[in-house]
Amino acid sequence: MDDKDTPRVGAAVRRRRRTLGLTLATVAARSGLSVPFLSQVENERARPSARSLDRVAEALETTTARLRAAADSARAVDVVRGEEGEGVRRLVRGRHQLSALEFSGEPDLGREFQHRNDELMYVVAGAVDVEAEGQVHRLESGDTLFLSGGVRHRWRATAPGTRLLVVAVAEHIDATYDSRR
């Protein structure tokens, strides 16, 4: 496999190792690879061969296919270029702790939402009406609205060319706070 074709799996390897609560030394012992090499892999300074990646995957109790699939979603830095047009655009690719969407045009999704985690709405351009907890909040360009997790809400663009940025803690993250703890 050409070096350019080898995926950058470092962040995925690091995330999996930390999820399992393993040290680099433990993964090195399990895989037969050196700690410095594994550190270089995790820091994207080295790309493992197919055989080395198999050994790392086995040491991390997963498969190379899963590490490769997680590679894109584990990127530490990812640029999403602007696009023309209307609709919904993901601003954060992959499976991260943060979710961000841009809505453009004049959508009225016609439904109510309730997310388990906190959410922030920011009007980039235009205007939006957001109904939450029995009140309608008119947001215009530059305005933000914060919603705690669990708050039922709905929204609709009320001006042509509206662009709404919605940033939230991702649904797969349990960011709820229990005051009884």
Side-chain angles (χ1 to χ4, degrees):
M1 180 179 281
D2 186 308
D3 187 51
K4 291 180 181 176
D5 295 333
T6 306
R8 294 188 172 274
V9 296
V13 168
R14 179 185 302 112
R15 186 169 60 199
R16 177 67 181 164
R17 177 179 63 78
R18 288 179 176 170
T19 297
L20 295 174
L22 302 176
T23 64
L24 277 173
T26 302
V27 176
R30 288 181 177 185
S31 66
L33 301 169
S34 72
V35 170
F37 175 71
L38 291 171
S39 177
Q40 288 178 345
V41 168
E42 284 192 2
N43 290 301
E44 304 292 0
R45 287 192 210 109
R47 294 187 191 183
S49 67
R51 177 65 188 126
S52 292
L53 187 57
D54 285 340
R55 291 163 67 181
V56 169
E58 188 174 320
L60 295 173
E61 302 168 8
T62 190
T63 65
T64 56
R66 286 191 177 136
L67 286 176
R68 289 175 196 268
D72 282 339
S73 66
R75 290 183 193 176
V77 177
D78 188 22
V79 175
V80 177
R81 300 286 179 203
E83 297 176 359
E84 294 295 322
E86 295 186 356
V88 181
R89 181 169 71 104
R90 285 198 173 279
L91 303 176
V92 176
R93 289 184 280 227
R95 190 171 163 91
H96 294 282
Q97 294 181 13
L98 181 71
S99 171
L101 299 170
E102 179 185 51
F103 296 87
S104 57
E106 299 178 45
D108 181 355
L109 301 177
R111 58 177 264 218
E112 187 174 71
F113 298 93
Q114 183 178 24
H115 309 290
R116 73 189 242 173
N117 294 321
D118 296 346
E119 179 176 318
L120 178 82
M121 294 180 166
Y122 172 74
V123 180
V124 177
V128 175
D129 282 345
V130 180
E131 181 183 337
E133 296 193 319
Q135 289 187 327
V136 175
H137 304 274
R138 166 60 75 122
L139 304 178
E140 296 178 351
S141 183
D143 292 345
T144 61
L145 176 83
F146 172 82
L147 297 164
S148 290
V151 172
R152 291 183 185 277
H153 61 283
R154 69 178 69 225
W155 63 269
R156 67 181 180 85
T158 58
T162 294
R163 288 180 46 219
L164 176 69
L165 174 64
V166 177
V167 180
V169 175
E171 288 291 319
H172 69 277
I173 302 295
D174 185 10
T176 57
Y177 175 74
D178 185 356
S179 62
R180 296 172 289 182
R181 289 187 186 176

